[in-house]
Amino acid sequence: MSTSTATADTFGSPAPVLSFSPVVLAVPGRPVDLQARVSAPATGTGLPVILLSHGHGPSNNLSSLNGYAPLANFWAAHGFVVVQPTHLTSRTLSHLVADAPGAPFFWRSRAEDMTHILDRLDVIENAVPQLAGRIDHTKVAIAGHSLGGFTAGLLLGARLTDPDNGEEANLIEPRIKAGVLLAAPGRGDVLNGPMADQLPIFRTIDFSTMTTPTLVVAGDKDDSRHFTDMGPDWHADPYTLGPSPKTLLTLFDAGHALGGIPGYDAAETTDESPERVAAVGRLTAAYLRTQLHPGDNAWQTARAALATDPDPVGRVEAK
């Protein structure tokens, strides 16, 4: 039995998905309103929440509330409410925020977006048709891809030195109970590529304080030479350097898009594989379901299927 079939059996049939956007939140001091897409299953109550932080890719719209449909749709179809903000880094906003404080990477604002969402989760829930009363506000996870993985790491407890004032920045969000880092950046002391000087915040990242349970997903062909010559292992650093409990999923033959998670049929995907994307959706959902619902064996079942698959999509290790 293949990994995909065995892991799919953990979840059963997908539910129809309701997707609503934009939900608009006015945030004092933010140069534009915070907009988000909310995707949820059409049925069910006590639904856990996944906050999804987009990356900083070359597309105009994938790095916004309009991206990451392959993951958002799968997670929502299998029992999660997915909230996707458009961060100020999005190219859809570049003409509005180019001169705003924190430009162009808005590292602090990106993390604060998620805190604003949690502060007003009741407002969001009531703004989305047919969602009111169906969310479990105590079961919240975060996921992020690439720069979004960096954002998620800060909310999970990683720290850095603020380049503007030299002080340690601690943005941990205690309402977030688990995380998934997808092709996230690694340690800063190995940065020697052409992009390194543009992101000084990467140089001081400290994963030793990232105490929240986290699944780190890395592709074994994700060689980010524009940042470092360390090779694909760089993206495993949040696992390697983070304290337990941490889990690492290494995907075989996967590049930075992990098969195409930023969007369906995206031209920027160098390793397009619908099967890999489906596996990422299933494995991450299984991990988060077990983390947010103690006693649920979805993750153990998914790991067992992966370990016995004759042609596995990747491997898992944990500490």
Side-chain angles (χ1 to χ4, degrees):
M1 180 177 287
S2 71
T3 302
S4 57
T5 303
T7 313
D9 290 343
T10 303
F11 293 97
S13 299
V17 171
L18 305 172
S19 184
F20 187 83
S21 71
V23 176
V24 182
L25 301 177
V27 176
R30 200 176 189 270
V32 296
D33 289 342
L34 175 58
Q35 297 194 5
R37 175 183 299 276
V38 180
S39 302
T43 57
T45 57
L47 302 172
V49 175
I50 300 176
L51 307 177
L52 177 53
S53 180
H54 65 71
H56 190 62
S59 295
N60 288 321
N61 277 280
L62 292 182
S63 293
S64 77
L65 59 76
N66 293 318
Y68 295 87
L71 285 185
N73 288 343
F74 182 90
W75 290 336
H78 292 90
F80 295 90
V81 175
V82 184
V83 185
Q84 299 174 254
T86 295
H87 297 303
L88 294 180
T89 55
S90 175
R91 290 175 188 263
T92 63
L93 300 177
S94 58
H95 61 296
L96 299 173
V97 302
D99 298 324
F105 296 108
F106 296 103
W107 65 271
R108 186 182 289 273
S109 170
R110 288 175 59 100
E112 290 173 344
D113 285 346
M114 300 310 196
T115 294
H116 292 311
I117 287 170
L118 292 179
D119 287 345
R120 299 165 74 179
L121 195 54
D122 56 338
V123 174
I124 294 171
E125 183 177 12
N126 287 311
V128 178
Q130 304 181 45
L131 189 58
R134 298 176 58 211
I135 291 180
D136 186 338
H137 292 233
T138 69
K139 290 181 167 52
V140 178
I142 189 166
H145 176 241
S146 194
L147 184 59
F150 183 84
T151 299
L154 294 178
L155 291 157
L156 294 166
R159 299 182 186 179
L160 56 79
T161 300
D162 188 327
D164 293 328
N165 59 25
E167 297 178 358
E168 183 180 66
N170 178 9
L171 300 177
I172 190 171
E173 176 48 76
R175 290 172 289 185
I176 295 174
K177 306 305 183 185
V180 174
L181 304 186
L182 301 153
R187 71 188 74 182
D189 59 358
V190 296
L191 296 180
N192 53 15
M195 281 291 293
D197 291 336
Q198 296 188 39
L199 283 152
I201 50 169
F202 282 11
R203 292 193 178 276
T204 61
I205 190 70
D206 179 5
F207 296 110
S208 70
T209 55
M210 193 175 70
T211 54
T212 310
T214 302
L215 172 64
V216 177
V217 183
D220 69 0
K221 297 292 191 295
D222 186 5
D223 192 355
S224 298
R225 293 295 176 116
H226 50 300
F227 283 113
T228 178
D229 59 9
M230 183 177 166
D233 287 346
W234 186 58
H235 295 286
D237 278 347
Y239 169 81
T240 306
L241 303 177
S244 63
K246 294 291 176 293
T247 305
L248 175 65
L249 168 62
T250 302
L251 296 170
F252 302 148
D253 297 319
H256 195 61
L258 304 179
I261 63 171
Y264 296 114
D265 300 320
E268 66 197 57
T269 298
T270 60
D271 65 326
E272 186 170 27
S273 169
E275 295 79 14
R276 184 176 301 128
V277 172
V280 171
R282 283 188 291 270
L283 290 163
T284 53
Y287 175 84
L288 291 177
R289 199 163 92 175
T290 295
Q291 286 295 327
L292 296 175
H293 297 282
D296 189 306
N297 67 353
W299 178 237
Q300 290 82 356
T301 301
R303 282 194 67 175
L306 190 65
T308 58
D309 194 314
D311 186 22
V313 69
R315 65 176 182 272
V316 172
E317 55 190 285
K319 63 180 182 180

